[in-house]
Amino acid sequence: MNATRKLDTAARSARSITAPSKGRRVLALSLFLATALALSSFRIVPAPGIALTLAPFFYLLAFRFGGIRLSLPTALLVTAPTLFWWGHPVIVLISAAHVLFLRYAPTTRGLTLPTTLFYALPGAAIIALFLWLQYDPPLATIVLTIIKKVLNDVAAAATVDLLTTLFVFRPAALRLEKRSSVSLSQLVSSTVTLLVIIIVLVVLVEHARPMSAGIAAHRQAIERAVEVAVLRLPPAQRPSRAELRIDIHAARSERVVIGYSRAAVLSPAVLTSLGCSRLDAGEDGINDRTTVAYWISACATGTIPTNSGPVYYAYATRELATDAYRELLRHLIAPALLFLLALAVRLALLRAVEHALARWTRLLQDFGTPELTRPEGWSFTEFDVPVEAFVDANNRHAQLMQDRERLAGAVMELQRGIGLRLLAGIRFDAGTGRLHFVEVGVDRPGQPESAEVHRNDRLALDNARGRDEALVELRFVDAGREQWFLLLARELEPDGSWRSGCLVRMQQPNVVADRTLHQARLMELGGMASALSHELKQPLFTIALSAEAGSLILGRDGVETPASEKFHRILRQVERAREIIGRISHYARVDADENRAFELRECVKGVTNFMRPLTVRENIRVEIAAQDGPPLRVLLPRVALEQVLVNLIQNAVDAIAARAAGAAPGHIRIGIAQGATGPELSVEDNGIGLEAGAPETLFNAFVTTKPAEQGTGLGLYICRQIMLELGGRITLGPAGAAGTGARIVLTLPASVLLEEETAAAH
Amino acid sequence: MAAYMGGPDRAILVVEDEPELRSELVELLQLRGFAAYGTGDLASTRVWLEGSRTRFTVLSDLLLPDGSGSELMRYLQAGAEPNLALERLVLMTGHSDLPEELEQDLSDRAVQLLLKPVPFPQLMAALHQPPPEA
């Protein structure tokens, strides 16, 4: 509880820090406005008429911090002193217009450019119009005034831009924070602008400062000239008022009015004739000596004591000031051009950086695209190194991703092909009969899964429980009764599950293979019964015929003798044996399966797979050579044909194994072809081969070339029986010219070929 | 017993590859009054039949070294040799598991098939039957 309360308090205090009270905010705002007003009330006047003020800096800062809602009142407030300085509200109006322009102009980032734009368009027009209407000043004065205003305000804007580039104001916390990420283009452009502005300002100030001294020197020169002129005049000719033209220098002379009475010289008529509306008497107040308006509308006056009393003089300062301003303007032309150039460079630089960044961004967005190239067109050299490094890294990455995808695809295809699933966390729940596992995939995270095991296979899984490595053949309820799987589980965990393993879909499970074996034994048994009965029937028939003939020979005279009685007994016993054989024959059918449609090649493949353990043991290479063309599909009792092939391969293996040691590697070649009368299968080996003349007898029952314990002598007999039953033939011959090896050909009737396949074959 | 006796006019050709069985059959049929002869394979049977003027009843094993009895049957019944000395054909076999197609073929052609060992009265009955109408 205590801890919670403490945390609450901490949170509250944190909130109070981040969200200052209204009072604090009002206080901070008032402080800002007061400071702004106080600092804006001072003017820096390096020369008469050249006054710099901090007012724009404050309202631009306010615009950055609080938008137009703060900026407009600030602008009105901080420009209020100009009313007292100059007696007109033009500066106040221009400032307000400036703020509105910033708000509604299609502005880019930063204040420098829109401020420059503002003075280039409406600001300059307002100032020029106002000055012209009010004072009708010389052009140089108007231009200089505009330049001064532009420099002042743009400098303020550039300073605010630099500040906002480097710092960020948090109004909520009333805090100025240093930015953690600074815009390079803004920093470069506002710094460049500010530096150039400062250079221009320095030039302005440097050239403006001597202006006052120049004016003073000018005045002294005029005074002296007036004095000289007055002293030269004979006293008798001294008029009460006179007008002199005093040459200042070769280009210009000053018009000076002199008189011996103050009233005569300083009368309004004289002042009007000189174009003055005031006297330069050093008074303060509105439009004082620091303003342009003062100097272009004032008359300088003075008194020269002479022997015949003081002489008063007056002249207009307009020409004087205009000269000075023109001179200043001349000095400012180069810096102003520099400023314009700087603005242009700034724009170009900004564009270039943005362009380079845009290309860089596009390139980054293409991350992962294979075979990325360095973008066309120019770029900053500094960017080239990271761009090229990025392109290289990207291409390597893309290549890796492609390899990975290809690999994953190949693995998945392989897994699908062989029906392999990699598993983890394998556990069999005997209660529910479900196998639980997590499939490990290369393309997705493993999900826990479970599958219900076929009821008959649960015992096998149950028996495998607790073994470190389990190998179980099983079926799943969902997968169907015929589909077998081999589960291999390893690394027994303490909780009874196995850590890893796999599940393979089996083409022909061992259980089914056992069934095939069983079937084969049954067939062999049937074959044996069949062979036995057949082979016994022949001798029995002969015995019966002999007995009949014997009986006939003896009984030609119709007399029964003990000998003819023996013949009749033989005949009766033959009859008995015949009945027994008849009963055996009932079991002697080589039971063939029902007809099935299948591909011969598939059948051959299945048999070679089945016989693989045997061929592997004897290190025999088995080859299936199917004729080119469409696969041969037949309709046959598949099991019967398989049985024939199994027997033939068994024979081939035995024939190969019976060779002397050191013979060539064993080889069995099974051919599938379309023969003259129907599909043909051939089984060829490089075994011991056949004895000359043996072939036909080898099909008889109980005839074998194998050792007594190996062969029943029924294999080929059964094969022939089955082939007869299938309506085909079986022939036997040597494989090679040298008489080594054997080649057996099974010829199937053309009628077993499936129609659509034969049609396709043509 | 007299019922089994064949007339001397009845000539019988026994085709059987096992010599002992063949000789026993020929001897017994001769004892029964038939004019009986024996051959061991298909080829010599053809030669025999094509060269003879007497008409024979052929008693043949179903499986012969150089072909089957059914091949013989087709050959005999094809009518390729109009002068063929054939009266009728009776087949014998020791195999009890004959393909259905073959059995069908035999019954279609009205050829009798005897199962070895053939009881003697059954053999006589088969040989004494009158030749088919065709």
Side-chain angles (χ1 to χ4, degrees):
Chain A
M1 285 298 277
N2 254 343
T4 319
R5 198 172 300 139
K6 224 177 256 172
L7 274 179
D8 275 357
T9 319
R12 256 201 306 280
S13 64
R15 213 165 25 246
S16 70
I17 285 169
T18 52
S21 64
K22 197 174 177 185
R24 276 195 59 172
R25 295 184 63 150
V26 169
L27 186 69
L29 189 63
S30 312
L31 206 65
F32 169 72
L33 291 177
T35 311
L37 185 57
L39 290 176
S40 303
S41 303
F42 291 101
R43 285 177 291 171
I44 304 155
V45 189
I50 309 295
L52 299 175
T53 159
L54 282 170
F57 172 73
F58 286 109
Y59 70 73
L60 287 173
L61 202 59
F63 185 79
R64 267 283 170 245
F65 289 166
I68 194 158
R69 280 174 50 208
L70 179 61
S71 174
L72 199 56
T74 308
L76 295 179
L77 182 71
V78 295
T79 51
T82 63
L83 287 175
F84 301 101
W85 298 336
W86 299 315
H88 58 75
V90 172
I91 295 301
V92 179
L93 291 176
I94 284 179
S95 299
H98 183 191
V99 170
L100 289 171
F101 184 86
L102 290 179
R103 169 69 182 81
Y104 295 106
T107 173
T108 52
R109 298 175 304 271
L111 299 170
T112 312
L113 200 61
T115 298
T116 313
L117 270 177
F118 171 71
Y119 282 107
L121 302 164
I126 295 171
I127 292 170
L129 195 66
F130 167 74
L131 287 176
W132 183 61
L133 288 177
Q134 187 78 18
Y135 305 110
D136 187 18
L139 183 65
T141 317
I142 297 176
V143 173
L144 195 68
T145 308
I146 291 171
I147 286 179
K148 181 215 71 179
K149 182 67 180 151
V150 169
L151 287 178
N152 191 92
D153 288 16
V154 172
T159 310
V160 171
D161 276 353
L162 189 58
L163 281 177
T164 48
T165 301
L166 294 174
F167 300 95
V168 61
F169 178 64
R170 306 270 178 224
L174 283 182
R175 240 195 341 229
L176 208 60
E177 282 175 14
K178 196 169 181 302
R179 283 185 193 272
S180 57
S181 163
V182 173
S183 159
L184 175 70
S185 56
Q186 295 243 8
L187 186 65
V188 168
S189 61
S190 46
T191 311
V192 166
T193 315
L194 194 59
L195 285 177
V196 173
I197 287 273
I198 286 171
I199 289 171
V200 180
L201 276 175
V202 164
V203 169
L204 177 72
V205 170
E206 280 304 306
H207 286 93
R209 229 200 327 255
M211 206 172 127
S212 304
I215 289 174
H218 190 93
R219 291 183 67 173
Q220 272 180 8
I222 286 179
E223 210 165 303
R224 268 197 303 278
V226 168
E227 200 173 345
V228 168
V230 168
L231 289 177
R232 276 185 190 159
L233 282 176
Q237 287 176 21
R238 284 174 187 170
S240 64
R241 193 174 70 210
E243 222 177 283
L244 296 176
R245 291 212 73 89
I246 295 171
D247 294 332
I248 305 299
H249 48 80
R252 200 168 60 76
S253 59
E254 193 76 66
R255 201 174 136 228
V256 182
V257 175
I258 56 170
Y260 291 89
S261 72
R262 185 184 173 90
V265 174
L266 301 183
S267 69
V270 172
L271 292 182
T272 307
S273 78
L274 283 171
C276 301
S277 57
R278 74 187 73 192
L279 286 175
D280 174 24
E283 79 259 48
D284 282 332
I286 291 171
N287 282 336
D288 59 19
R289 298 179 71 172
T290 61
T291 63
V292 177
Y294 181 88
W295 289 105
I296 61 174
S297 61
C299 274
T301 60
T303 318
I304 301 166
T306 59
N307 296 334
S308 50
V311 175
Y312 298 90
Y313 67 90
Y315 62 92
T317 55
R318 184 185 175 96
E319 289 297 311
L320 180 72
T322 306
D323 265 2
Y325 288 140
R326 203 172 278 134
E327 181 68 12
L328 188 56
L329 193 60
R330 203 167 54 77
H331 285 297
L332 275 180
I333 286 172
L337 286 176
L338 180 66
F339 172 67
L340 289 179
L341 187 67
L343 274 186
V345 166
R346 173 186 184 273
L347 259 181
L349 201 62
L350 215 57
R351 278 288 152 84
V353 169
E354 274 168 8
H355 169 78
L357 281 176
R359 277 156 36 106
W360 187 209
T361 310
R362 274 201 303 280
L363 191 67
L364 283 178
Q365 280 165 350
D366 286 342
F367 177 71
T369 312
E371 289 173 26
L372 213 57
T373 50
R374 178 185 177 280
E376 291 299 312
W378 74 271
S379 165
F380 288 107
T381 315
E382 285 82 349
F383 280 14
D384 282 355
V385 175
V387 163
E388 262 156 35
F390 170 78
V391 166
D392 274 0
N394 171 78
N395 288 355
R396 273 200 306 278
H397 172 79
Q399 184 65 43
L400 272 178
M401 290 302 288
Q402 272 182 337
D403 285 351
R404 184 179 174 277
E405 254 168 56
R406 204 165 48 235
L407 207 61
V411 168
M412 274 160 64
E413 198 170 311
L414 191 68
Q415 284 190 350
R416 266 198 304 278
I418 61 175
L420 172 71
R421 302 171 79 187
L422 302 175
L423 311 180
I426 307 159
R427 184 171 56 81
F428 176 61
D429 186 340
T432 59
R434 296 188 78 87
L435 188 70
H436 298 266
F437 53 83
V438 174
E439 181 167 4
V440 182
V442 288
D443 58 335
R444 65 203 136 89
Q447 291 288 333
E449 289 176 52
S450 75
E452 191 178 349
V453 177
H454 192 280
R455 188 172 298 278
N456 296 355
D457 302 327
R458 290 179 189 171
L459 184 66
L461 267 174
D462 217 23
N463 289 342
R465 197 194 298 209
R467 282 189 217 149
D468 191 47
E469 183 169 312
L471 193 66
V472 180
E473 285 174 24
L474 50 85
R475 288 161 295 178
F476 292 109
V477 172
D478 294 340
R481 209 159 53 85
E482 295 297 320
Q483 187 59 64
W484 285 85
F485 294 89
L486 176 69
L487 173 70
L488 174 68
R490 308 188 54 175
E491 295 176 84
L492 188 69
E493 300 273 26
D495 66 351
S497 68
W498 290 279
R499 184 203 281 269
S500 63
C502 63
L503 199 62
V504 193
R505 195 177 61 233
M506 297 171 76
Q507 295 284 355
Q508 186 185 38
N510 288 340
V511 187
V512 176
D514 286 348
R515 203 160 59 208
T516 308
L517 272 181
H518 180 66
Q519 185 104 15
R521 286 204 191 98
L522 273 184
M523 266 195 183
E524 193 163 355
L525 195 64
M528 180 177 277
S530 162
L532 255 183
S533 58
H534 180 241
E535 295 303 309
L536 286 177
K537 279 168 188 171
Q538 290 285 90
L540 270 181
F541 194 20
T542 313
I543 291 167
L545 290 173
S546 297
E548 192 73 43
S551 153
L552 267 181
I553 292 165
L554 282 177
R556 210 171 267 176
D557 45 3
V559 183
E560 286 286 328
T561 63
S564 67
E565 178 54 32
K566 292 292 177 206
F567 284 123
H568 286 138
R569 176 169 289 174
I570 290 173
L571 286 173
R572 281 198 301 277
Q573 289 303 315
V574 167
E575 190 58 28
R576 187 178 157 202
R578 202 176 67 87
E579 278 171 19
I580 291 169
I581 289 170
R583 280 206 291 279
I584 293 175
S585 299
H586 181 70
Y587 298 101
R589 279 198 78 84
V590 180
D591 264 326
D593 214 1
E594 71 272 25
N595 275 347
R596 280 193 217 172
F598 61 94
E599 271 180 29
L600 281 178
R601 192 185 155 80
E602 283 307 308
C603 173
V604 170
K605 270 167 73 180
V607 171
T608 52
N609 282 344
F610 175 63
M611 297 301 281
R612 200 172 141 71
L614 209 60
T615 51
V616 166
R617 198 180 62 202
E618 300 294 338
N619 193 23
I620 296 170
R621 185 162 68 88
V622 178
E623 176 194 4
I624 300 175
Q627 196 181 35
D628 290 341
L632 296 170
R633 268 176 78 79
V634 295
L635 187 68
L636 277 179
R638 178 171 177 156
V639 175
L641 188 61
E642 282 175 349
Q643 189 54 48
V644 172
L645 288 169
V646 164
N647 272 337
L648 296 184
I649 293 173
Q650 173 76 58
N651 279 351
V653 170
D654 289 342
I656 288 168
R659 297 177 308 174
H667 180 203
I668 298 176
R669 184 176 185 278
I670 302 172
I672 305 168
Q674 174 66 37
T677 60
E680 273 183 14
L681 294 173
S682 59
V683 178
E684 203 177 310
D685 64 60
N686 59 348
I688 44 169
L690 311 164
E691 287 170 36
E696 281 315 308
T697 62
L698 283 176
F699 286 111
N700 294 343
F702 308 114
V703 173
T704 181
T705 57
K706 299 174 189 175
E709 69 274 14
Q710 263 189 24
T712 57
L714 283 171
L716 284 178
Y717 169 81
I718 293 170
C719 289
R720 189 172 67 167
Q721 291 293 101
I722 292 173
M723 287 310 289
L724 279 175
E725 199 150 329
L726 300 181
R729 277 200 321 273
I730 179 167
T731 54
L732 174 63
T740 55
R743 182 168 194 268
I744 293 176
V745 179
L746 306 175
T747 309
L748 293 164
S751 57
V752 300
L753 259 182
L754 281 175
E755 281 301 321
E756 68 269 17
E757 303 307 324
T758 51
H762 287 307
Chain B
M1 280 279 171
Y4 299 142
M5 302 293 282
D9 56 320
R10 298 295 293 271
I12 291 183
L13 182 60
V14 176
V15 188
E16 167 62 59
D17 55 328
E18 204 175 301
E20 291 198 351
L21 181 54
R22 183 171 71 233
S23 74
E24 282 299 332
L25 262 175
V26 169
E27 188 185 347
L28 185 59
L29 290 173
Q30 285 171 346
L31 286 173
R32 282 295 181 182
F34 290 98
Y37 309 91
T39 58
D41 54 29
L42 213 54
S44 50
T45 306
R46 286 179 184 167
V47 172
W48 188 283
L49 289 178
E50 283 164 16
S52 167
R53 256 178 244 141
T54 322
R55 292 174 71 83
F56 287 96
T57 292
V58 176
L59 175 65
S60 171
D61 195 11
L62 189 59
L63 282 181
L64 294 169
D66 55 348
S68 74
S70 51
E71 273 176 61
L72 178 66
M73 172 178 77
R74 286 192 202 96
Y75 162 72
L76 292 177
Q77 294 193 336
E81 293 284 335
N83 303 325
L84 212 58
L86 175 74
E87 190 170 299
R88 53 188 280 109
L89 177 64
V90 176
L91 292 175
M92 300 178 293
T93 184
H95 294 279
S96 48
D97 45 354
L98 291 175
E100 278 173 29
E101 291 86 348
L102 179 60
E103 285 179 13
Q104 188 61 43
D105 201 10
L106 292 174
S107 72
D108 285 351
R109 294 168 190 264
V111 173
Q112 202 174 357
L113 178 68
L114 304 174
L115 292 177
K116 291 178 183 176
V118 189
F120 198 64
Q122 197 187 339
L123 181 62
M124 288 294 109
L127 292 177
H128 275 293
Q129 265 179 7
E133 305 274 318

